[in-house]
Amino acid sequence: MEASGRPSSSRTDINTARVEEIIQRDRRVTVREIASELDLSYGNVQRIVTDELRYSKVCACRVPRQSTSGDDEKLGPFHYRRQILG
């Protein structure tokens, strides 16, 4: 007999693809909105976005992280990257 509810791990390739699709559709979407739409926990969506997809937040938009040296500026508890968005 299968257990009902969420799978034991919601960080699957399918969920990663679904999260990326939502972000591509609307780059200003919040982690909370994605979690609600996909019925995943906030923490799992946050880990998918930052660890799996390697996105970071720049000016309230999600953009792919780029390796840069010396471009990080620490502001309070958050890390922002200076980038010119075209």
Side-chain angles (χ1 to χ4, degrees):
M1 178 182 218
E2 279 188 40
S4 62
R6 291 185 182 164
S8 60
S9 174
S10 54
R11 287 173 57 190
T12 64
D13 291 339
I14 293 170
N15 285 335
T16 300
R18 291 167 64 198
V19 168
E20 185 168 26
E21 180 183 321
I22 291 170
I23 292 172
Q24 293 299 322
R25 190 174 61 217
D26 177 10
R27 289 194 178 265
R28 292 186 177 198
V29 69
T30 65
V31 171
R32 192 168 311 282
E33 290 169 341
I34 296 170
S36 176
E37 185 173 332
L38 299 180
D39 192 30
L40 299 172
S41 73
Y42 180 95
N44 278 329
V45 172
Q46 182 69 31
R47 279 188 286 281
I48 289 170
V49 169
T50 57
D51 297 343
E52 305 282 330
L53 298 175
R54 310 257 321 135
Y55 282 108
S56 63
K57 194 160 82 168
V58 177
C59 301
C61 290
R62 297 246 177 233
V63 295
R65 251 188 239 167
Q66 296 179 354
S67 263
T68 58
S69 60
D71 284 347
D72 293 345
E73 180 179 321
K74 197 157 184 131
L75 298 172
F78 301 105
H79 231 113
Y80 292 91
R81 296 187 183 277
R82 291 186 214 158
Q83 294 181 357
I84 299 172
L85 301 176

